[in-house]
Amino acid sequence: MEFTARTSPTRRGLLRTGAGAGLAALGLGYGAQSASASVTTTKRFDLSKPSYDLFRSKRLHSTRVQQSFAFDSVNKRLFVAAKRSGSPESAGDLCISHLDLHGNYVSYMHLNGFGHGVAFGVRPSGSSSYLWIECEANGHGYGTKLALIKYRAGTTLDASSTTFGRFQPISGASEYTCSIDPVYKRMIVRYHKDGAKHIAVYNLSDVDRGDFSRPVAKFTPPPIAGTAQGYTLYGSYMYFQTGDHYSGTNPPPGNTYLTSINVNTGKIAQGPVFTKAGSTLTWREPEGLAIYRTDAGESRLFIGFATGDEGDRRSSIFYKNYLV
């Protein structure tokens, strides 16, 4: 498939920063309109069922804690976001590691000034992978816009670059992250507005054109106790992860919980459900959720953990596959 928003030179130019007039003229304005929930009801993952290993303790290009991950299911790639080694937390400098699906390291890309890396998504196009990811980090290191960038191995991209599109889907929001459901072809956006986190869901057919004016669902998620550590979308359900790293006050098997939320109602469908996935790992911290469908047609909810010793943090990823 091709994305009009970036493959057409004329449209690509319109999607860069400073092109608000062009976007408005095309009906692709920055302020999302309110919308009633209209996501077709689907099955959901049963979070109480067992988890299975994808891999454990795999090296990334960065030696710091991973923050999130996402799949390119067409090109069989896994991308893992971590803070860039040696960079301060507030800088928003990210290191994206490309792994194969066995967890073998392939390459990296540095994104300077982009954000915290809470969640991101991948859109395949031919043999290329494009990342939907936060950008233009604020003073706290969190992205204030969403960006669409091409993954280019071994390169560094600054948030100030004018070579890619960036977006503020919700009027008045100050921070953005996103994740992609590659099965039902939607993007979920988590944004900060009026002192709280909110959710909007969009069809990828709109997002690929840079159009955030027609969300199919918008809601404020219910309060969930614990440290937020990632989220994703599958069909009509959002999945949310909380927990902390192992410590003297949080010994194994830890305090990682998973929750599913119905995006049509904004209410909890299941959870929080405690998970022991990877509980025997060294220094385990929950970091990231993502969706993948195998070539055989099995949908999987993947659960990420940062593991390993300080100065040599590793990536460990597990999955659940039971739908109800």
Side-chain angles (χ1 to χ4, degrees):
M1 69 174 297
E2 295 184 354
F3 305 146
T4 306
R6 57 175 175 71
T7 56
S8 165
T10 301
R11 183 65 58 84
R12 182 170 60 243
L14 289 172
L15 296 182
R16 292 174 184 167
T17 296
L23 283 166
L26 290 170
L28 309 183
Y30 281 47
Q33 303 169 0
S34 61
S36 59
S38 58
V39 178
T40 301
T41 300
T42 66
K43 290 185 176 183
R44 61 175 172 82
F45 291 97
D46 186 340
L47 304 178
S48 67
K49 297 298 183 180
S51 301
Y52 305 96
D53 290 34
L54 179 64
F55 57 71
R56 297 184 180 219
S57 302
K58 296 295 186 178
R59 284 193 172 93
L60 305 175
H61 185 75
S62 173
T63 58
R64 296 175 68 178
V65 170
Q66 75 174 50
Q67 299 295 327
S68 58
F69 61 98
F71 292 95
D72 177 339
S73 57
V74 173
N75 294 298
K76 310 305 179 191
R77 296 171 182 145
L78 170 61
F79 296 94
V80 183
K83 292 297 183 66
R84 187 170 177 176
S85 297
S87 176
E89 286 286 326
S90 60
D93 296 339
L94 296 175
C95 176
I96 307 296
S97 294
H98 165 205
L99 310 180
D100 66 21
L101 299 189
H102 299 289
N104 299 308
Y105 171 76
V106 178
S107 64
Y108 77 93
M109 183 178 183
H110 284 155
L111 303 178
N112 289 341
F114 272 68
H116 189 83
V118 173
F120 68 102
V122 181
R123 293 293 280 140
S125 180
S127 61
S128 298
S129 300
Y130 286 78
L131 311 184
W132 272 106
I133 194 166
E134 66 190 289
C135 74
E136 295 190 21
N138 57 23
H140 302 290
Y142 290 87
T144 59
K145 297 177 182 177
L146 293 180
L148 177 63
I149 65 167
K150 183 177 182 178
Y151 179 83
R152 299 181 187 275
T155 65
T156 297
L157 183 64
D158 293 328
S160 61
S161 172
T162 60
T163 62
F164 59 89
R166 62 202 75 196
F167 310 88
Q168 291 176 294
I170 306 295
S171 178
S174 59
E175 296 174 355
Y176 297 92
T177 56
C178 68
S179 183
I180 285 177
D181 174 359
V183 179
Y184 290 95
K185 308 298 182 185
R186 294 191 183 98
M187 175 187 283
I188 182 170
V189 175
R190 185 170 180 252
Y191 59 95
H192 190 84
K193 183 178 180 180
D194 300 328
K197 299 296 184 184
H198 308 275
I199 298 296
V201 178
Y202 302 89
N203 288 320
L204 283 178
S205 57
D206 291 330
V207 170
D208 287 343
R209 301 192 309 271
D211 184 355
F212 288 91
S213 67
R214 296 181 292 181
V216 295
K218 289 179 71 177
F219 63 95
T220 301
I224 299 173
T227 304
Q229 297 286 16
Y231 67 94
T232 194
L233 177 72
Y234 178 78
S236 57
Y237 294 91
M238 172 188 181
Y239 296 87
F240 193 72
Q241 180 174 231
T242 61
D244 303 286
H245 64 76
Y246 285 167
S247 67
T249 57
N250 183 38
N255 63 354
T256 299
Y257 288 85
L258 300 171
T259 302
S260 60
I261 300 170
N262 186 322
V263 302
N264 285 312
T265 65
K267 297 180 179 180
I268 291 176
Q270 185 184 19
V273 176
F274 179 67
T275 178
K276 292 184 178 180
S279 61
T280 59
L281 289 161
T282 300
W283 197 93
R284 166 185 175 265
E285 181 175 11
E287 296 284 2
L289 296 174
I291 298 295
Y292 181 85
R293 175 171 278 182
T294 68
D295 290 343
E298 180 183 271
S299 295
R300 296 177 175 180
L301 170 65
F302 281 88
I303 310 161
F305 293 90
T307 57
D309 298 324
E310 185 174 1
D312 185 26
R313 300 298 191 203
R314 307 290 185 94
S315 176
S316 297
I317 296 180
F318 306 83
Y319 66 90
K320 292 181 181 291
N321 60 1
Y322 192 88
L323 292 167
V324 292

